[in-house]
Amino acid sequence: MPYRTREKRAHDLFTRYDGNPILQPEDWPYPANAVFNPAAAKVDGQTLLLARVEDMRGFSRLIVARSPNGFTDWQVDSDPTLTADPNSQEERWVLEDPRIVYLEEQKQYAVTYVSFREGGPLVSLAITKNVHTFARFGAMLPAEDKDACLFPRRFEGRFALIHRPIVRGEAHIGLSLSPDLKHWGDHQLLIHTRHAYWDSHRVGLACQPTETPAGWLVFYHGVRMTTANQIYRLGLVLLDLHNPWKMLRRSAEWILGPQTYCERVGDASDVVFPTGAVVDEAKDELHLYYGAADSTVAVATARLSEVIDYILASPELHH
Ligand code: BMA
């Protein structure tokens, strides 16, 4: 039952799974305060979530849970998958909010996640074949940075990273390029906050980019400040398939916002924070995995073709 209906479901793109939340602290074999903001991928025929699990100190680690169908029968790994390293300058306390993408050239998964050093949050990279053992590359760019994901392949010879630096207090989404996954440059702003809109305060990447014939679907979260709190909702842009630094379309409205009880009430109320998507093109299905109120993991599904139609009907951007 919706706690309160505040969202006008005009386009009804997404349908929430009626068994939400699909993962919560009680599912963990040891005490956890919150399980949220998971990366998602299809691995060996199963849906794999790399979830952020926060302990009672308030420290987060990343832990794998697998399901045969993406909704039920989750198997939680007994050991943490990726943890902070107390001896590291850059990954000292906590690891948060991972995204995962399969790199075609390396034939490995790239996991980008938020780590912390004294100067603030920054984005780190780890590469893995099996989401079990990792080659850690460390921080990619200086603090303050969050919400990052690589594209699965190079463009004009260079890898591309979407991320969300904070510059002079402003939080816009940017794109940076690298020849080797280590040295990053040609930084450019990609998705700005919009004055007066639902995404006026902050924006940040949501899940990994989804490739379609029409271009890259990039879901992002937008934040509005109210007198009571900050509302985290979901928007969508379309990026050019060959030049992802070119934004073609942007949704005017949000397409998913906090509505049900688990999305409205938790450690941070009124937050939907998608960080992972699993697409089944043959079934025309997109599963969107998101943190609900910084406390649990939920899933909503959409028809991929309807999402593409929706963004193609959104305002065209002129450069
Ligand atoms: C962001 C991140 C997320 C969190 C969200 C809502 O800044 O820290 O981890 O889910 O805020 O509280």
Side-chain angles (χ1 to χ4, degrees), residues 33-161:
N33 173 56
V35 179
F36 58 123
N37 300 3
K42 201 95 190 197
V43 179
D44 299 331
Q46 293 195 303
T47 298
L48 177 145
L49 297 185
L50 183 61
R52 170 178 169 189
V53 181
E54 189 190 72
D55 67 18
M56 301 300 188
R57 295 171 302 171
F59 289 4
S60 291
R61 304 185 282 192
L62 309 181
I63 302 179
V64 162
R66 290 183 183 79
S67 155
N69 54 29
F71 299 102
T72 60
D73 301 305
W74 294 95
Q75 294 287 327
V76 175
D77 274 9
S78 49
D79 294 323
T81 311
L82 261 182
T83 57
D85 172 1
N87 298 315
S88 151
Q89 281 276 312
E90 293 166 339
E91 303 192 5
R92 195 132 134 222
W93 293 285
V94 302
L95 305 186
E96 299 180 350
D97 302 354
R99 276 77 169 179
I100 192 167
V101 72
Y102 189 72
L103 297 180
E104 293 164 6
E105 182 184 323
Q106 281 75 4
K107 298 195 170 46
Q108 296 203 45
Y109 295 94
V111 180
T112 38
Y113 51 92
V114 176
S115 54
F116 284 82
R117 61 177 300 151
E118 265 152 30
L122 69 181
V123 168
S124 286
L125 170 67
I127 306 279
T128 177
K129 281 200 169 75
N130 49 18
V131 203
H132 182 62
T133 48
F134 296 82
R136 284 166 89 145
F137 280 56
M140 304 172 91
L141 288 160
E144 192 173 322
D145 205 1
K146 276 187 173 187
D147 302 318
C149 191
L150 288 165
F151 283 82
R153 61 169 168 279
R154 297 174 190 255
F155 301 93
E156 298 176 1
R158 291 190 289 175
F159 293 98
L161 178 78

Side-chain angles (χ1 to χ4, degrees), residues 36-37 52 96-97 99 114 116 146-147 164 202 221 223 230 232 267-273 291 293-294:
F36 58 123
N37 300 3
R52 170 178 169 189
E96 299 180 350
D97 302 354
R99 276 77 169 179
V114 176
F116 284 82
K146 276 187 173 187
D147 302 318
R164 205 286 309 280
R202 285 183 168 202
H221 62 259
V223 185
Q230 305 190 2
Y232 279 72
D267 276 3
S269 50
D270 291 319
V271 174
V272 295
F273 201 86
D294 284 7

Side-chain angles (χ1 to χ4, degrees), residues 131-280:
V131 203
H132 182 62
T133 48
F134 296 82
R136 284 166 89 145
F137 280 56
M140 304 172 91
L141 288 160
E144 192 173 322
D145 205 1
K146 276 187 173 187
D147 302 318
C149 191
L150 288 165
F151 283 82
R153 61 169 168 279
R154 297 174 190 255
F155 301 93
E156 298 176 1
R158 291 190 289 175
F159 293 98
L161 178 78
I162 300 199
H163 59 121
R164 205 286 309 280
I166 301 233
V167 182
R168 290 189 297 276
E170 294 188 9
H172 312 291
I173 296 170
L175 189 135
S176 300
L177 298 168
S178 168
D180 55 8
L181 294 177
K182 285 197 170 147
H183 303 92
W184 294 92
D186 282 340
H187 312 294
Q188 49 212 293
L189 284 182
L190 188 62
I191 308 171
H192 288 79
T193 56
R194 288 182 293 197
H195 182 64
Y197 277 72
W198 59 273
D199 51 5
S200 59
H201 180 57
R202 285 183 168 202
V203 290
L205 176 73
C207 42
Q208 72 271 41
T210 298
E211 185 172 5
T212 75
W216 297 94
L217 296 176
V218 172
F219 294 97
Y220 71 94
H221 62 259
V223 185
R224 158 158 273 173
M225 287 268 262
T226 71
T227 45
N229 65 1
Q230 305 190 2
I231 307 174
Y232 279 72
R233 301 185 177 109
L234 187 71
L236 178 61
V237 301
L238 184 71
L239 304 182
D240 185 273
L241 202 50
H242 306 291
N243 309 286
W245 41 87
K246 232 173 107 183
M247 180 162 58
L248 306 176
R249 310 261 175 175
R250 183 172 182 176
S251 63
E253 302 177 337
W254 69 83
I255 55 176
L256 191 76
Q259 187 178 8
T260 64
Y261 187 85
C262 74
E263 298 162 359
R264 296 221 53 216
V265 178
D267 276 3
S269 50
D270 291 319
V271 174
V272 295
F273 201 86
T275 33
V278 172
V279 171
D280 186 330

